[in-house]
Amino acid sequence: MQILELPTEHHGDDMITPFVLVIDEVDTDPDGQVMMKAADWEATRERLGARAILIFEETVTIPANEVSP
């Protein structure tokens, strides 16, 4: 699970950093469907305040999240 930060939004004196939740290595059923229902993902997205949730079966690397030695 990773966070992908989106560009900061400025609303007057307030600043918001929106984000996308990236979930990788998700198990699927034999038909290739994600085990959790779409409504449950939507409820999770709303609770967390994410703009979106991206779900992948394979490993996803987000360069911005890489830590330099």
Side-chain angles (χ1 to χ4, degrees):
M1 188 178 327
Q2 301 179 67
I3 299 292
L4 173 60
E5 287 187 359
L6 301 174
T8 301
E9 297 176 356
H10 299 272
H11 302 279
D13 291 337
D14 296 331
M15 294 188 336
I16 298 170
T17 303
F19 66 94
V20 173
L21 182 63
V22 179
I23 302 174
D24 58 358
E25 301 180 23
V26 172
D27 290 329
T28 57
D29 66 17
D31 295 328
Q33 299 296 312
V34 175
M35 305 296 239
M36 195 166 154
K37 295 178 184 174
D40 295 333
W41 287 116
E42 180 61 20
T44 300
R45 183 199 66 76
E46 287 180 15
R47 279 194 308 268
L48 295 174
R51 292 289 168 94
I53 296 179
L54 302 177
I55 305 165
F56 299 92
E57 287 184 82
E58 65 277 351
T59 301
V60 174
T61 302
I62 299 174
N65 290 346
E66 294 294 312
V67 177
S68 299

